[in-house]
Amino acid sequence: MSSAVPTDTTQEPPTRQSNFLRQIIEADLSQGTYASRHWAGSPGDAAHHAAGSPDPAKIRTRFPPEPNGYLHVGHAKSICLNFGLARDYGGVCHMRFDDTNPEKEDTEYVNSILDAVQWLGFSWDATFNGQSTSHLYQASDYFDFMYRAAEYLIEAGHAYVDEQTAEQMRVNRGDFGKPGVDSPFRALPASHHLARFRQMAAGQHADGAMVLRAKIDMASPNINLRDPAIYRIRRATHHHTGDKWCIYPMYTFAHPIEDALEQITHSICTLEFEDQRPFYDWLLDRLCEGGLLAQPHPHQYEFARLNLTYVITSKRKLAQLVTQGHVSGWDDPRMPTIVGLRRRGYTPEAIQLFAERIGVTKSDSWIDYSTLEGCLRETLDVSAPRAMAVLDPVKLVITNWDALHGEGRLDDCSAPVHPHLPDLGRRSFTFGKALWIERTDYEEVPPKGYNRLYPGNKVRLKYGHVITCTGAVKDASGHITEVHAELVPDTKSGSPGSDAVKVKGVITWVGVADALPAEVRLYDRLFSVPHPDTTEKDFLEELNPDSLRTVTAYVEPSMASAKGDDRFQFERHGYFVADREDHAAGKLVFNRVTGLKDSWGK
């Protein structure tokens, strides 16, 4: 076997925050723990061939979602962790679908998961010596092997077919204060159980009539070791294997076998699976004893899942939000799904930075949502082009414009596309008699410290001229319809006299002559409380009624070339993205990604 490493991991790993998983991996690498791995079984074994591995990765991790829903921000952390560790230590990360529950799985979810992983910047392909290898797998690749493993466990006295009802098994399992009771079928000979299991596989029994259970210890203090079910009858068409099977392995049985067949070195999962680790090890030890697998088998390590404030990640409750119409779909920009975050305008770099910044621990804690937004601002600040937009427009009329410049004349103005990236060039717009400004930029009686427009006050219109406010026009109900001002001559930004008049206030604007109307969706946090769904209160009562407000705004003419997924900083307002679904030429639609600063801090 070649000693080469993946072409994309030849550089030294970047300096990253140390954690207990990195320490474990570094110790394993220094001790050569997995240096002598080899396949068990014959070279022609279909299961081994499916996961065949010509590449000499130093470590192997895996990301194993069930294709029964859309991934959310917690999965994003796991993706960044597993693929990131493989990247940093000269290894590979396997993309594997744990498709053991055909009733809830669909190719729609498979495709969305693959797209999410790639969008986040990762790949399951590895290149060694110019040869590319795909590490995309399904649990169903190994169903034949899993069936043989189950038969071996029966023959070796480690498994039996239980024909109790589900309620009888539940009662006889006991609880934390009472040991379980052996099934009356447990002591029957292996030959009986093997025959019944084969009948199950042949479709001779009804769904739920019996299950195959591991034979471990019904008195174990760990309830997960009280003869857990490992196979059940389930007549359902599988999206990958069709109707070949009418029995399917349980996830807890399939998962460790998949890890072992794929030679995973570090099987990383969240803390809720910690109590399952003894079964994980028990199963692999039994199969190694029978010669079906080889030592050293993978080891499972657990870390704390992501608990993010103002967010829920329950698949069932996220589905409820969608089906009951509280959001527009799985990709609603308020949803914590990866497709939702993407449509909201989040960048892969921001999510990777977030995953690195929050770290990896074994202790549960809450991460404030502002941390995620802060990572987004960091990535967008250095890359997002700037633009001016007016979200709550009122017309500003320069009453002396015609006298100074001539009726109908426009003044050309410009600004940098990005203040720190001069190579991106400049954007152009016009200044004329009529402009759009924010309604909040005028106050007839200004509060203390107010430095924008009020009668007698001077302000600079950014990238334009200095003006003096002279008042406003109101309708019969007292609503302001126009703000009036006079232009101060020779004060255009960039001109020799631009600094001659000192002002305290600078406001943004767009010209009526070339402004473009746009639908702007002002998204905010979906829930109004930091820890939704943690009390007896219905989580739907904790929805933020102001999580979406849609306005008709005006944006500068450079936005005519914006395409879906293009991100911008609308000066003063925050970061916005052209909606990837609804935005089009002639129909501009922008989503607010986040403000320029945290507005939820207090």
Side-chain angles (χ1 to χ4, degrees):
M1 180 178 285
S2 169
S3 60
V5 297
T7 55
D8 58 348
T9 57
T10 53
Q11 297 180 347
E12 288 296 316
T15 301
R16 298 182 184 275
Q17 181 176 322
S18 181
N19 57 58
F20 76 97
L21 290 174
R22 289 185 177 274
Q23 293 166 6
I24 289 169
I25 290 171
E26 289 164 7
D28 285 340
L29 290 175
S30 66
Q31 296 166 14
T33 303
Y34 296 98
S36 61
R37 289 168 297 161
H38 63 279
W39 292 117
S42 64
D45 185 293
H48 295 148
H49 178 72
S53 179
D55 45 43
K58 294 180 180 178
I59 68 165
R60 290 182 189 276
T61 59
R62 83 289 174 273
F63 176 62
E66 297 175 73
N68 61 359
Y70 286 85
L71 302 185
H72 54 63
V73 65
H75 295 113
K77 174 184 176 180
S78 182
I79 292 170
C80 293
L81 177 62
N82 282 286
F83 281 91
L85 288 173
R87 172 199 62 203
D88 293 347
Y89 291 102
V92 295
C93 181
H94 291 196
M95 178 72 231
R96 182 213 301 148
F97 290 101
D98 269 318
D99 53 350
T100 58
N101 190 359
E103 289 183 324
K104 296 184 178 181
E105 296 160 2
D106 194 280
T107 53
E108 173 190 354
Y109 302 130
V110 171
N111 294 333
S112 72
I113 291 168
L114 294 177
D115 183 63
V117 173
Q118 291 178 314
W119 177 73
L120 283 170
F122 299 104
S123 173
W124 46 87
D125 295 333
T127 301
F128 296 83
N129 294 334
Q131 179 181 357
S132 179
T133 304
S134 173
H135 292 285
L136 175 61
Y137 307 113
Q138 295 82 219
S140 51
D141 291 336
Y142 317 120
F143 280 176
D144 288 329
F145 181 90
M146 292 176 191
Y147 181 81
R148 293 200 304 277
E151 285 203 344
Y152 163 74
L153 292 175
I154 295 170
E155 293 169 336
H158 299 310
Y160 63 98
V161 173
D162 194 349
E163 300 181 44
Q164 294 182 99
T165 66
E167 177 62 18
Q168 288 171 330
M169 282 189 281
R170 186 192 67 78
V171 171
N172 290 338
R173 194 183 188 199
D175 54 35
F176 291 108
K178 181 175 66 176
V181 176
D182 285 357
S183 165
F185 298 91
R186 195 177 195 266
L188 294 176
S191 58
H192 166 84
H193 296 302
L194 186 61
R196 294 300 263 178
F197 184 58
R198 289 174 176 172
Q199 291 170 7
M200 288 170 59
Q204 297 178 20
H205 299 283
D207 289 14
M210 54 191 67
V211 297
L212 181 67
R213 299 178 70 177
K215 186 187 292 185
I216 307 178
D217 182 5
M218 288 299 291
S220 173
N222 183 343
I223 294 181
N224 295 293
L225 295 180
R226 294 183 186 178
D227 294 4
I230 58 177
Y231 258 97
R232 79 282 204 198
I233 306 171
R234 184 70 54 85
R235 284 173 174 79
T237 299
H238 192 283
H239 72 275
H240 186 226
T241 61
D243 295 318
K244 178 180 178 180
W245 298 93
C246 65
I247 60 169
Y248 289 96
M250 304 297 288
Y251 173 84
T252 51
F253 175 77
H255 184 76
I257 291 176
E258 296 153 21
D259 283 351
L261 291 177
E262 293 177 14
Q263 292 188 318
I264 300 303
T265 58
H266 300 82
S267 181
I268 301 167
C269 58
T270 47
L271 281 173
E272 60 259 40
F273 295 100
E274 186 172 26
D275 289 342
Q276 292 285 357
R277 182 170 12 110
F279 176 71
Y280 183 104
D281 292 336
W282 177 91
L283 175 60
L284 295 186
D285 286 342
R286 300 295 80 74
L287 297 181
C288 287
E289 291 169 0
L292 279 75
L293 297 174
Q295 294 280 12
H297 65 62
H299 187 84
Q300 176 178 297
Y301 302 94
E302 305 86 18
F303 69 97
R305 64 179 295 170
L306 174 62
N307 295 309
L308 190 62
T309 60
Y310 299 96
V311 163
I312 61 169
T313 54
S314 161
K315 285 184 180 179
R316 181 178 62 83
K317 291 181 178 177
L318 291 176
Q320 185 178 347
L321 292 174
V322 174
T323 57
Q324 294 183 0
H326 300 287
V327 294
S328 61
W330 288 100
D331 67 344
D332 187 296
R334 293 166 292 179
M335 289 282 275
T337 54
I338 295 178
V339 289
L341 291 170
R342 184 177 181 180
R343 190 171 179 185
R344 176 73 172 262
Y346 273 81
T347 65
E349 296 79 10
I351 295 175
Q352 288 194 44
L353 177 61
F354 173 69
E356 179 67 26
R357 184 159 291 171
I358 62 177
V360 180
T361 69
K362 289 185 73 73
S363 301
D364 281 321
S365 61
W366 284 92
I367 303 297
D368 195 274
Y369 196 87
S370 62
T371 304
L372 177 60
E373 290 182 319
C375 292
L376 178 62
R377 292 188 191 97
E378 285 187 40
T379 64
L380 291 181
D381 180 60
V382 298
S383 62
R386 275 35 172 184
M388 288 197 293
V390 177
L391 306 186
D392 184 13
V394 65
K395 186 175 289 186
L396 170 67
V397 177
I398 309 297
T399 56
N400 63 342
W401 179 265
D402 291 346
L404 293 174
H405 292 274
E407 186 175 353
R409 292 288 301 274
L410 297 173
D411 187 16
D412 293 329
C413 298
S414 69
V417 172
H418 192 289
H420 306 301
L421 300 174
D423 290 346
L424 294 182
R426 299 183 68 82
R427 58 193 208 269
S428 300
F429 36 86
T430 61
F431 190 111
K433 180 177 181 178
L435 310 170
W436 296 113
I437 63 170
E438 295 291 344
R439 188 169 296 276
T440 55
D441 282 344
Y442 175 81
E443 288 284 352
E444 189 170 27
V445 180
K448 184 177 181 180
Y450 186 85
N451 294 316
R452 285 169 279 171
L453 291 171
Y454 57 87
N457 193 46
K458 290 181 172 64
V459 302
R460 174 171 293 283
L461 297 176
K462 195 171 187 180
Y463 311 120
H465 301 262
V466 173
I467 60 172
T468 303
C469 181
T470 58
V473 177
K474 300 179 182 179
D475 61 18
S477 63
H479 187 72
I480 293 174
T481 58
E482 286 184 358
V483 177
H484 287 181
E486 294 182 349
L487 184 138
V488 179
D490 302 321
T491 57
K492 183 178 180 180
S493 294
S495 69
S498 61
D499 294 329
V501 179
K502 302 297 182 182
V503 297
K504 292 184 178 180
V506 178
I507 65 174
T508 51
W509 55 278
V510 292
V512 168
D514 58 4
L516 301 174
E519 177 182 325
V520 176
R521 299 166 180 172
L522 301 174
Y523 288 104
D524 208 336
R525 300 181 187 183
L526 185 57
F527 290 92
S528 58
V529 297
H531 303 127
D533 199 32
T534 57
T535 66
E536 295 181 359
K537 195 173 186 178
D538 186 340
F539 80 105
L540 294 176
E541 296 179 27
E542 299 172 321
L543 288 169
N544 177 11
D546 299 318
S547 64
L548 171 59
R549 184 166 57 92
T550 301
V551 299
T552 298
Y554 290 102
V555 296
E556 68 175 59
S558 66
M559 292 296 94
S561 61
K563 297 180 176 59
D565 282 335
D566 285 351
R567 301 170 184 87
F568 305 91
Q569 183 194 109
F570 286 172
E571 299 187 41
R572 288 179 57 191
H573 294 297
Y575 295 98
F576 292 75
V577 63
D579 187 83
R580 65 195 322 259
E581 297 293 335
D582 300 332
H583 181 91
K587 182 191 175 185
L588 309 186
V589 180
F590 296 95
N591 302 329
R592 180 168 62 188
V593 188
T594 186
L596 293 175
K597 59 183 180 179
D598 178 23
S599 62
W600 287 71
K602 296 183 181 180

